[in-house]
Amino acid sequence: MIPTHDDHEWSQALDNAFGRLRTCAGVGVGHLIRVSTALQRKRSIGSQKFQKLQVRHLAHLAGYGIDVNRVRLYDATGESARAGARRPVFRKLVEDIRNGEIALVIVTDVDRIARNDPDAEQIFSALQAVGGLIMINGELYDPGNHIHRMILGIRGVIARFENDQRVFRCMTAKLARAHDLEFPVPLATGLIWGSPDDPEFCKKMEEAGLQDRLSQTSLDLHRTGVMRNGRRLFVFPYPDRDVVRATQLAFEWLLETKDLGAVLERIASHPEWPHPGKFPVIRSRWFDPESPPEWRVIVGRADGKDDLARNHMYSWFRRPSLYGTYAFRSPALGKLPHSPHPRGSEVWVDHAFPGLASPEDRPLVLEALKNPLRPRIRGEWRGPRNHWIPIIRCACFLPDGSICGHKLSPLYTSARAGRHRYRSIPCDARGHGFSVPGDIDNVVLDLVLTVFTRERLEHELSRIRVDQGRDAHRAKEIEADLAKLQAKVTWCDDQAFEAKHRGDFRDMEFYNRRRRELQEQIGELARELRRARAAVEQAARVTERECTAILDLATDLPALIKRARHIEGKVRELLAEIIRCVYVRPLGTYTYHVEAEFHSGERLAQLWSSIRVPSPQPIGLLAWHRLGRWIVPNGIATVQDEEEARATANALANDITGAVRLRHTAAWTGDRLLGAAASRPDWRKAPRPTRHHETTEELASRLGVPEQDVTAAALCGELGDASLRNDTLVFRPNDRQLHRAFKSVALRSVAEKTGWPEDEILLLEDLRRETGWSWERVTSAARWFAGIARDAAGRRYTRRSSIPILAPGELDEILERSIPPGADRKNGRWVTYAQASKELPGVNIGTFESHTAVIRPGAGPNGIKTAYVWLDPQVVERVYKPTLEEAITRLGRDDLRPDDFVLREPFLAQLRRRFGYPSRPIWMRAAGAGRILEVRARAPGRRTLAIYAFVPPAVRNATDIEVVRAFIRGDLALASNGAEDRD
């Protein structure tokens, strides 16, 4: 068939598409898998496997030059995609895309990327910037194409809608069960859902002295109807004496002292408290013997931050379940504009079950919790809320180019009195949340005082007077011009009237046209005259008395602010009269762009660093050299022509990030470079270059080191401070800096000093890593046998061949004296214990000594020893721990498969959670009687043996406890014939 023109175009389009895909895959492929919670990571194995199988779409394209082995997996299991959630793996993926390492992203669906617009916009914009693609379940989308972007947006909206519907259905089902008191609501610490039909639970209750709660009279007080695994659950105190005693003491102390702080002090030091300074935490909602209560420290924190003990105990005392109240609330349903359920979204039933405290005590407890005194932390009372800035807003840029504008609130810490910082919680949801130290108050205050100086105000007043005189003179000139033009208009009217009487309509039209032109000029001059008179009148309003008062303001304002510092809120009121708002956005590490807006609408910006920017001097000098022409060092660091400066800074940041990548440092940004250049004026005080200074190219040539390594080390400050020579950075490193930065230079220097061959020089740290010895043993051995040499950086070296444990002829010397019994030199070989452990994982030295020949020769002082092990096929068979497949093969049964076996302990725990049966003794008796087939094999990923049990699928998937009981009793002939069960 001869291809038509349309076929040719279709083939060319297909080639272009595959070429684009091949180009993106050549840059890098990122495969993102995600489930929302840690529980889903354990249970949603099928979803994770399906997401990992998305790579198969690339495997089908292997014939087009696409390498599947280059796919980089981003495992985000356990990360929620809701707005404001912490997503470190997702941030790493976006960062790699922006750095040009990833250009093709593979996901199962859009909801695996994000369930909110800001996160989705981040990755789509990053892919668009690098020309990347995204593959969703085998379908390719180009974020740079507006149609594809619209489709991605629609799929994202559908995914969010489906998730909301799923949450809505689950919550309505829970709400319906809660109205009938059949849903197991979370209980406060000290209470647990348990069943009187559980023998192990009843035993624990008797041990804790709570057997009266299991009586029928007590059970009749429960109105709940929660069922689990065919058993009815009731609310009981947790069957642990310490937990019961702790809850009783907490209530007694609160009702006695009426002060939560006093309760915390007693928890920390009272001898009657079971675990001083700790409070129990119960992870499981219902009784689980394998999940005992955890006693966690809640009083005092070593890092000096806010103490969480008061908030924890305050919330615990307010829990309704402590007082026998069944409370269920669905915040997701309560946020809807209309009630989705005819009976509302909350359930509150008093006297639903016996609690730890009487319901009549709840009002007394709530009254005690209303203590107006603030908590004492480390002996200090919280200071006054004396922040100075009246209104501060976020100025971060959104994807559409606008600024955020969210208000930042002052947050006070309790560890240090009066300390605060500014933060906006809504900014976290938008993905650019940050906090500003409270020292920004002084920055804004200095900015205001810089504006209201006497010299500046005198200059502005003199300019007002000059402008007033100029405007008055201009008004007089305009009035004279208006009089002349008015006279010309009158003359044109007269001439047009005479021409009309003469019948000369041509002249009449000429004078009328001339009159209209003059009237337009008169209108323009009249408007200009009004503006000039208005300026004169406005300047005339500023009297001499007012000028004196304005000048006095520059003198009195600092003193006024100084007095206002000592009165809470006065500085804030004073600044509110001067500035309207302060806008701030981060520019990198501890660097911020601060902009103050005055009531007149004028704005004044400043770059501020809360501390000295931790930037290497070479990078800072380079940033100042390239960006200094946009920085105005006039006491107020501002950025002129911000767009051009930011573009240059971003280009420089990309170059620096690519250069220092070998040193594994954080990526540089344009904002960070601007902040480094503006906040450190001492960059300009670089040392003057001398003839001994060298460029990175000259250093690389002299040292024999790759130039990219020298450049990375130099920019990171490892070669000392830099200087500028002809717009190029030059350095003068000393030997210490060179040896610390480049290992090859240090080895060469040590070899010249000691005469040792370079390939035998070994760093003591590497020797310790290879042998596993302590530092004392490594040092003594090196000093005794070979000696220790140091480089200029202070690192210590020794000679590898001189250490006995590494000597090649040591074993031969030992075997010449005697050959240990059991070592057949024909069928086996001697290996070190380290090599034997690698070949036979999980076998220790004691096991080898029990089954084969082992040599432990002494080698020099300080007990240096090397163990040698004799390995032959018989030894390997005796000591090697088999895998499950090998263990099944040894049974000699062809009807068994590895899939029929499960790990005994997890399966027992699963059965106990599902049915509460069987216990470990019951299972062990059945296995000892031969009713259950068990084998020992090496667990996957471990060096130890584990016990596997043959369990047919009918028992593994059983929903009836009688099936499990029959299997344990041996009534079901399943363990003897696995193939029959599978058929």
Side-chain angles (χ1 to χ4, degrees):
M1 175 180 176
I2 301 176
T4 62
H5 181 69
D6 293 338
D7 294 333
H8 175 70
E9 289 184 353
W10 180 86
S11 178
Q12 185 176 4
L14 186 62
D15 292 341
N16 293 337
F18 278 115
R20 176 81 178 279
L21 177 61
R22 189 163 49 248
T23 301
C24 294
V27 174
V29 182
H31 184 194
L32 178 65
I33 63 173
R34 186 190 66 80
V35 291
S36 297
T37 61
L39 184 61
Q40 291 178 353
R41 178 171 53 191
K42 296 179 181 179
R43 295 184 176 179
S44 302
I45 306 299
S47 173
Q48 299 176 45
K49 288 184 178 180
F50 178 72
Q51 295 185 51
K52 293 180 179 179
L53 288 177
Q54 294 300 311
V55 187
R56 71 182 187 274
H57 298 296
L58 284 183
H60 298 330
L61 303 175
Y64 294 91
I66 298 177
D67 188 5
V68 184
N69 298 324
R70 296 193 59 185
V71 177
R72 186 183 303 179
L73 181 63
Y74 292 85
D75 190 352
T77 53
E79 289 187 6
S80 175
R82 69 179 187 276
R86 293 183 68 257
R87 306 185 60 188
V89 178
F90 176 77
R91 304 300 177 199
K92 181 65 170 57
L93 173 60
V94 175
E95 182 180 354
D96 291 345
I97 294 174
R98 292 172 177 171
N99 294 337
E101 300 177 8
I102 300 295
L104 177 62
V105 178
I106 304 176
V107 291
T108 307
D109 206 345
V110 179
D111 61 349
R112 298 300 93 190
I113 296 177
R115 295 189 186 275
N116 60 89
D117 292 335
D119 286 352
E121 184 64 27
Q122 282 190 37
I123 193 169
F124 292 159
S125 301
L127 287 172
Q128 181 180 0
V130 299
L133 299 173
I134 182 170
M135 178 179 289
I136 302 177
N137 201 13
E139 299 178 359
L140 282 175
Y141 295 91
D142 182 7
N145 187 305
H146 64 282
I147 298 179
H148 289 190
R149 180 68 73 90
M150 180 189 68
I151 296 175
L152 291 174
I154 293 175
R155 296 190 64 161
V157 171
I158 294 175
R160 290 193 295 274
F161 172 74
E162 292 176 348
N163 180 68
D164 294 341
Q165 288 295 105
R166 177 179 57 83
V167 173
F168 175 76
R169 288 193 299 270
C170 293
M171 295 309 298
T172 51
K174 293 179 181 179
L175 180 62
R177 295 178 59 192
H179 276 289
D180 297 333
L181 305 186
E182 296 179 355
F183 179 73
V185 296
L187 303 175
T189 298
L191 295 174
I192 198 72
W193 290 97
S195 174
D197 298 332
D198 186 354
E200 191 168 359
F201 178 74
C202 295
K203 181 180 178 181
K204 291 289 185 180
M205 292 286 288
E206 293 176 359
E207 293 176 356
L210 301 173
Q211 59 271 17
D212 57 330
R213 292 294 187 106
L214 298 175
S215 63
Q216 189 62 39
T217 305
S218 179
L219 295 179
D220 292 340
L221 300 177
H222 292 258
R223 300 168 57 187
T224 58
V226 178
M227 301 292 294
R228 184 171 184 263
N229 297 332
R231 295 174 175 174
R232 183 181 175 185
L233 299 183
F234 299 85
V235 179
F236 295 105
Y238 192 86
D240 185 271
R241 291 185 180 273
D242 291 345
V243 175
V244 173
R245 182 57 179 163
T247 55
Q248 291 175 351
L249 288 176
F251 277 105
E252 292 176 3
W253 291 343
L254 182 64
L255 295 177
E256 175 189 349
T257 61
K258 308 294 183 182
D259 184 9
L260 186 57
V263 175
L264 292 176
E265 293 179 0
R266 293 191 181 185
I267 291 177
S269 58
H270 202 280
E272 294 186 12
W273 189 259
H275 299 269
K278 297 181 180 180
F279 196 80
V281 176
I282 302 174
R283 298 296 183 186
S284 179
R285 188 175 300 187
W286 33 73
F287 176 73
D288 185 3
E290 297 183 358
S291 180
E294 177 184 357
W295 291 83
R296 301 188 63 181
V297 178
I298 64 170
V299 178
R301 286 178 55 167
D303 54 5
K305 295 184 178 180
D306 194 358
D307 197 336
L308 301 180
R310 185 180 181 88
N311 296 335
H312 180 85
M313 295 300 298
Y314 181 85
S315 302
W316 182 77
F317 277 114
R318 292 174 60 90
R319 294 292 295 271
S321 57
L322 293 176
Y323 310 96
T325 300
Y326 183 95
F328 176 85
R329 180 176 179 270
S330 174
L333 297 180
K335 293 179 181 179
L336 296 178
H338 56 82
S339 177
H341 197 278
R343 289 181 285 183
S345 59
E346 295 186 6
V347 178
W348 186 282
V349 180
D350 293 324
H351 304 282
F353 47 82
L356 297 180
S358 173
E360 289 73 17
D361 293 338
R362 179 177 171 83
L364 301 178
V365 172
L366 296 181
E367 185 66 25
L369 294 177
K370 293 181 180 180
N371 190 348
L373 296 179
R374 293 173 178 173
R376 294 194 66 177
I377 305 297
R378 293 178 176 268
E380 297 181 2
W381 293 94
R382 270 188 192 175
R385 300 178 61 85
N386 192 24
H387 57 279
W388 293 350
I389 302 179
I391 299 177
I392 180 171
R393 296 187 180 277
C394 172
C396 292
F397 292 103
L398 298 179
D400 59 356
S402 60
I403 65 172
C404 174
H406 275 310
K407 185 177 179 180
L408 277 66
S409 303
L411 303 179
Y412 284 80
T413 60
S414 56
R416 298 177 63 185
R419 300 296 298 175
H420 65 279
R421 56 191 175 92
Y422 295 94
R423 185 172 181 82
S424 174
I425 302 301
C427 290
D428 295 338
R430 291 187 170 183
H432 58 259
F434 65 98
S435 62
V436 186
D439 295 336
I440 194 176
D441 292 345
N442 295 317
V443 177
V444 175
L445 191 60
D446 294 340
L447 193 65
V448 172
L449 293 178
T450 305
V451 174
F452 289 95
T453 60
R454 188 176 183 87
E455 293 78 9
R456 186 163 186 172
L457 293 178
E458 288 179 350
H459 174 71
E460 295 296 331
L461 289 174
S462 62
R463 194 177 67 176
I464 290 176
R465 297 308 181 194
V466 172
D467 293 343
Q468 179 184 9
R470 185 178 63 249
D471 293 337
H473 179 69
R474 178 56 182 164
K476 292 181 179 180
E477 292 180 350
I478 293 174
E479 290 176 356
D481 293 339
L482 284 175
K484 294 178 181 179
L485 291 176
Q486 191 62 42
K488 291 181 179 180
V489 169
T490 303
W491 181 77
C492 288
D493 288 339
D494 296 340
Q495 296 297 324
F497 182 76
E498 294 179 358
K500 181 180 179 181
H501 279 281
R502 292 196 307 267
D504 191 353
F505 295 99
R506 184 176 180 180
D507 289 348
M508 183 186 68
E509 183 62 28
F510 170 76
Y511 288 116
N512 288 333
R513 185 170 60 254
R514 178 59 177 164
R515 179 176 55 82
R516 288 194 297 269
E517 294 175 356
L518 292 174
Q519 287 178 345
E520 291 178 359
Q521 297 180 15
I522 290 174
E524 294 177 0
L525 289 177
R527 287 190 292 271
E528 187 176 356
L529 178 61
R530 286 194 295 270
R531 288 194 296 268
R533 288 176 176 175
V536 172
E537 292 176 359
Q538 184 176 1
R541 295 193 188 100
V542 183
T543 63
E544 292 297 333
R545 185 175 181 179
E546 292 175 342
C547 291
T548 304
I550 292 175
L551 294 178
D552 292 340
L553 174 63
T555 305
D556 298 339
L557 186 59
L560 184 61
I561 292 177
K562 185 177 181 180
R563 292 195 300 270
R565 290 172 183 263
H566 303 286
I567 305 176
E568 181 178 354
K570 288 301 179 182
V571 178
R572 183 166 63 250
E573 296 178 4
L574 187 61
L575 289 181
E577 299 294 332
I578 301 175
I579 59 176
R580 176 184 299 167
C581 183
V582 174
Y583 295 90
V584 61
R585 72 172 182 271
L587 294 182
T589 309
Y590 307 112
T591 308
Y592 305 90
H593 180 274
V594 183
E595 190 173 21
E597 181 182 7
F598 295 87
H599 290 287
S600 61
E602 297 182 2
R603 294 190 177 190
L604 194 60
Q606 177 175 355
L607 293 177
W608 168 63
S609 176
S610 59
I611 62 173
R612 295 182 70 85
V613 180
S615 307
Q617 187 267 353
I619 293 182
L621 180 61
L622 182 62
W624 171 258
H625 178 67
R626 298 284 183 85
L627 308 175
R629 60 193 181 95
W630 287 288
I631 307 298
V632 181
N634 58 355
I636 302 177
T638 59
V639 178
Q640 298 176 342
D641 302 330
E642 186 172 354
E643 293 184 1
E644 184 179 357
R646 191 174 300 279
T648 306
N650 290 335
L652 180 60
N654 292 334
D655 297 340
I656 292 177
T657 300
V660 302
R661 186 175 300 173
L662 297 176
R663 283 303 194 257
H664 304 287
T665 61
W668 281 81
T669 61
D671 289 337
R672 185 179 176 187
L673 287 177
L674 282 172
S679 60
R680 291 286 297 268
D682 54 331
W683 294 135
R684 294 164 288 172
K685 301 177 183 179
R688 294 175 60 86
T690 64
R691 59 185 180 88
H692 301 288
H693 282 73
E694 300 173 282
T695 63
T696 55
E697 183 178 357
E698 295 171 348
L699 284 172
S701 177
R702 178 168 67 87
L703 300 175
V705 180
E707 184 180 355
Q708 57 182 0
D709 294 345
V710 177
T711 302
L715 289 178
C716 292
E718 299 178 14
L719 302 185
D721 292 347
S723 300
L724 279 173
R725 179 196 295 162
N726 299 329
D727 298 338
T728 304
L729 293 180
V730 291
F731 303 85
R732 189 183 179 182
N734 53 35
D735 291 341
R736 180 176 180 275
Q737 293 168 342
L738 291 176
H739 289 186
R740 183 175 293 275
F742 309 111
K743 185 178 180 180
S744 60
V745 178
L747 291 176
R748 194 182 312 131
S749 175
V750 173
E752 294 175 357
K753 185 188 304 182
T754 60
W756 299 338
E758 286 190 33
D759 56 349
E760 292 189 7
I761 298 177
L762 182 66
L763 194 64
L764 288 190
E765 185 178 352
D766 296 338
L767 175 61
R768 177 174 177 266
R769 190 181 300 112
E770 291 181 8
T771 59
W773 297 343
S774 64
W775 270 113
E776 294 78 7
R777 189 173 179 183
V778 169
T779 305
S780 60
R783 186 179 294 112
W784 179 271
F785 292 103
I788 296 177
R790 295 176 180 267
D791 60 10
R795 291 177 297 198
R796 296 177 294 177
Y797 301 83
T798 188
R799 188 171 182 176
R800 177 188 295 269
S801 59
S802 300
I803 305 299
I805 195 171
L806 303 176
E810 182 184 20
L811 180 63
D812 297 332
E813 296 174 1
I814 297 171
L815 295 179
E816 287 178 0
R817 296 192 296 268
S818 64
I819 298 178
D824 187 359
R825 301 180 67 88
K826 296 181 180 179
N827 298 329
R829 67 189 191 282
W830 288 101
V831 296
T832 64
Y833 171 64
Q835 296 172 346
S837 298
K838 293 181 180 179
E839 296 180 11
L840 303 175
V843 184
N844 54 32
I845 188 69
T847 305
F848 281 123
E849 289 178 340
S850 303
H851 296 86
T852 185
V854 176
I855 299 177
R856 291 178 178 270
N862 303 313
I864 300 177
K865 296 180 180 180
T866 303
Y868 292 91
V869 180
W870 175 257
L871 290 185
D872 56 32
Q874 293 78 15
V875 173
V876 173
E877 184 177 358
R878 287 196 298 268
V879 303
Y880 179 64
K881 295 180 176 64
T883 61
L884 179 59
E885 292 80 0
E886 296 171 348
I888 295 175
T889 304
R890 292 181 181 181
L891 294 176
R893 294 183 56 176
D894 298 334
D895 57 339
L896 299 179
R897 297 185 309 178
D899 296 337
D900 298 328
F901 287 79
V902 295
L903 285 171
R904 185 183 69 184
E905 300 304 327
F907 182 68
L908 270 176
Q910 178 183 354
L911 289 180
R912 285 197 295 269
R913 286 195 300 269
R914 188 185 305 171
F915 304 109
Y917 175 88
S919 63
R920 183 185 297 275
I922 295 176
W923 181 278
M924 297 300 293
R925 286 196 296 269
R931 296 193 296 270
I932 301 177
L933 177 62
E934 293 183 343
V935 296
R936 291 178 175 269
R938 187 170 73 247
R942 300 180 181 178
R943 295 186 177 183
T944 58
L945 289 176
I947 300 179
Y948 289 84
F950 176 85
V951 180
V955 180
R956 290 200 298 266
N957 303 325
T959 58
D960 189 0
I961 192 174
E962 294 302 326
V963 178
V964 181
R965 294 181 186 273
F967 174 69
I968 298 296
R969 293 193 303 267
D971 295 343
L972 299 179
L974 299 175
S976 61
N977 192 351
E980 179 181 352
D981 176 72
R982 288 193 299 271
D983 294 340

